[in-house]
């Protein structure tokens, strides 16, 4: 086996074990302003820590040249709350990269599916729904809705949307669809980078009746049955065209890049520019516009 054939080792983002670290040994990388301490978000985090403790450990990195000193990468509000409470220490994840900006690129903020998993994890540990509602400063119905978030959602869609900021009402719309149609709608939302509830409603409204979970006839306020059928036909045509474009996108994009590169080389030639300016000025203007667009992109 040559060196090129040998598998490459992937550097771990965190050390294999978490550490309980004294708060005095953790150096924040930013100051929490007083306005943040008075915000609803700060109060929610403080209530959560009071009721159920730290669910997501802060992330730190070892400070080079300083024994048992750590720089805080993520979790400044949590650390600030613990200090205000008088807690002596906290369990932390220890990152292997000493650049906070790199670490922040690796983590994803709390998407609703991640919040759903966090709630299930807390419930498994014996935390009641009522206590969670108090901790997160939300209604009990909100906790229950998020607990049941993925009921009726196929595993493929859940995996596809797990890191996306998707409104809870969008999942309610997806639950009206059969699994295959759920996948199609989720892929469409991903391609368009659009996950809003109204957009999901429009995709459900354009779904043929046989792809719905319920066999009851769809009823959309302000639309007649004929208009709904027309929407279904148009949606089918658009979906077919979208799939065709998706299949040829890679080749078309490569052709476009090569063509723009060729035009850029042409417009760099003084002789070519003089010839076009004299005999085909409209083509020269168009070529230059295309090259400028490429450079701007």
């Amino acid at each position: 086996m040559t060196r090129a054939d040998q598998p490459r080792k992937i550097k771990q983002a965190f050390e294999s074990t978490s550490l309980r670290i004294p708060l005095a040994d953790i150096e924040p990388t930013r100051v929490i302003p007083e306005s943040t301490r008075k915000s609803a978000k700060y109060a929610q985090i403080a209530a959560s820590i009071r009721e159920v403790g730290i669910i997501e450990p802060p992330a730190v990195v070892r400070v080079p040249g300083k024994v048992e000193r750590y720089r805080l990468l993520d979790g400044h509000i949590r650390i600030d709350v613990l200090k205000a409470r008088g807690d002596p220490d906290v369990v932390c994840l220890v990152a292997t990269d000493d650049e906070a900006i790199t670490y922040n690129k690796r983590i994803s903020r709390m998407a609703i599916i991640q919040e759903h998993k966090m709630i299930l994890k807390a419930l498994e540990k014996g935390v009641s729904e009522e206590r969670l509602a108090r901790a997160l400063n939300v209604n009990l119905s909100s906790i229950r809705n998020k607990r049941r978030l993925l009921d009726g959602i196929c595993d493929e869609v859940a995996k596809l949307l797990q890191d996306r900021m998707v409104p809870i009402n969008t999942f309610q719309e997806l639950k009206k669809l059969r699994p295959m149609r759920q996948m199609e709608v989720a892929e469409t939302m991903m391609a368009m980078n659009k996950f809003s509830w109204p957009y999901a409603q429009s995709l459900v409204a354009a779904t043929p009746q046989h792809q719905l979970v319920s066999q009851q006839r769809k009823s959309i306020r302000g639309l007649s049955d004929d208009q709904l059928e027309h929407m279904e036909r148009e949606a089918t045509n658009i979906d077919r065209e979208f799939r065709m474009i998706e299949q040829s996108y890679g080749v078309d994009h490569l052709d476009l890049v090569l063509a723009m590169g060729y035009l850029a080389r042409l417009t760099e030639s003084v002789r070519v520019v003089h010839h076009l300016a004299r005999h085909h000025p409209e083509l020269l203007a168009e070529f230059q516009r295309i090259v400028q667009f490429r450079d701007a992109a």
Side-chain angles (χ1 to χ4, degrees):
M1 179 182 292
T2 65
R3 175 169 295 187
D5 295 329
Q6 294 177 353
R8 297 176 59 187
K9 291 184 178 180
I10 299 176
K11 183 180 179 182
Q12 290 184 338
F14 298 97
E15 294 182 6
S16 57
T17 58
S18 57
L19 293 179
R20 182 172 291 277
I21 303 173
L23 295 180
D25 294 339
I26 300 175
E27 302 175 359
T29 54
R30 60 184 175 86
V31 177
I32 301 296
E34 194 60 34
S35 58
T36 298
R37 293 192 176 99
K38 296 178 181 179
S39 67
K41 178 183 178 181
Y42 188 96
Q44 185 182 61
I45 293 173
S48 174
I49 293 175
R50 182 178 63 250
E51 293 290 339
V52 299
I54 295 286
I55 296 177
E56 184 181 1
V60 299
V61 67
R62 298 179 186 275
V63 177
K66 295 184 180 180
V67 180
E68 302 303 323
R69 294 292 294 179
Y70 302 86
R71 183 179 299 114
L72 184 59
L73 299 180
D74 183 70
H76 284 76
I77 293 180
R78 278 164 278 166
I79 294 296
D80 194 74
V81 169
L82 293 176
K83 287 182 178 179
R85 284 161 44 98
D87 289 25
D89 50 34
V90 63
V91 174
C92 295
L93 299 175
V94 183
T96 58
D97 197 324
D98 64 353
E99 295 185 13
I101 186 170
T102 303
Y103 169 77
N104 286 333
K105 286 180 179 179
R106 285 182 182 153
I107 63 173
S108 56
R109 295 302 162 190
M110 186 68 76
I112 192 169
I113 290 183
Q114 302 302 327
E115 191 174 353
H116 158 79
K117 293 179 178 178
M118 182 195 74
I119 290 173
L120 291 184
K121 185 176 180 180
L123 293 174
E124 289 173 359
K125 291 183 176 181
V127 180
S128 67
E129 292 179 342
E130 292 78 7
R131 191 177 176 189
L132 269 177
R134 290 196 303 270
L136 299 177
N137 194 27
V138 296
N139 295 329
L140 182 59
S141 60
S142 176
I143 293 294
R144 290 174 175 169
N145 287 337
K146 290 176 181 178
R147 174 173 61 83
R148 297 190 295 263
L149 178 74
L150 299 182
D151 292 354
I153 300 295
C154 68
D155 293 341
E156 293 81 4
V157 170
K159 185 176 182 180
L160 197 63
L161 301 178
Q162 63 182 352
D163 296 324
R164 301 289 178 159
M165 306 304 291
V166 183
I168 192 170
N169 287 334
T170 294
F171 282 96
Q172 299 301 323
E173 294 298 321
L174 289 173
K175 291 178 183 181
K176 299 176 182 179
L177 308 174
R178 294 187 180 276
M180 288 301 297
R181 180 56 178 167
Q182 279 186 17
M183 280 293 298
E184 292 175 356
V185 169
E187 289 173 350
T188 299
M189 290 192 296
M190 291 282 290
M192 301 299 294
N193 194 28
K194 192 172 183 180
F195 306 95
S196 67
W197 182 26
Y199 185 58
Q201 283 182 308
S202 68
L203 294 174
V204 172
T207 298
Q209 187 67 30
H210 69 275
Q211 293 182 320
L212 298 176
V213 172
S214 174
Q215 292 303 313
Q216 296 180 358
R217 184 62 190 171
K218 289 181 298 184
S219 177
I220 307 296
R221 182 181 299 179
L223 295 179
S224 65
D225 289 347
D226 290 341
Q227 289 173 321
L228 285 173
E229 291 178 0
H230 179 71
M231 284 183 63
E232 292 176 6
R233 290 193 299 271
E234 288 299 314
T236 301
N237 293 334
I238 292 173
D239 185 66
R240 185 184 302 111
E241 293 174 2
F242 177 81
R243 301 296 174 187
M244 293 175 61
I245 293 172
E246 189 178 39
Q247 291 175 1
S248 63
Y249 174 78
V251 175
D252 293 343
H253 185 264
L254 178 60
D255 290 343
L256 179 62
V257 170
L258 293 175
M260 293 176 73
Y262 178 71
L263 289 180
R265 291 185 61 186
L266 279 181
T267 55
E268 290 173 358
S269 170
V270 176
R271 293 179 60 188
V272 170
V273 170
H274 284 171
H275 176 80
L276 291 176
R278 183 178 303 172
H279 302 286
H280 307 284
E282 68 286 350
L283 287 179
L284 176 61
E286 188 65 21
F287 289 169
Q288 291 175 333
R289 187 185 68 82
I290 293 173
V291 173
Q292 288 174 358
F293 175 79
R294 186 200 71 158
D295 294 340

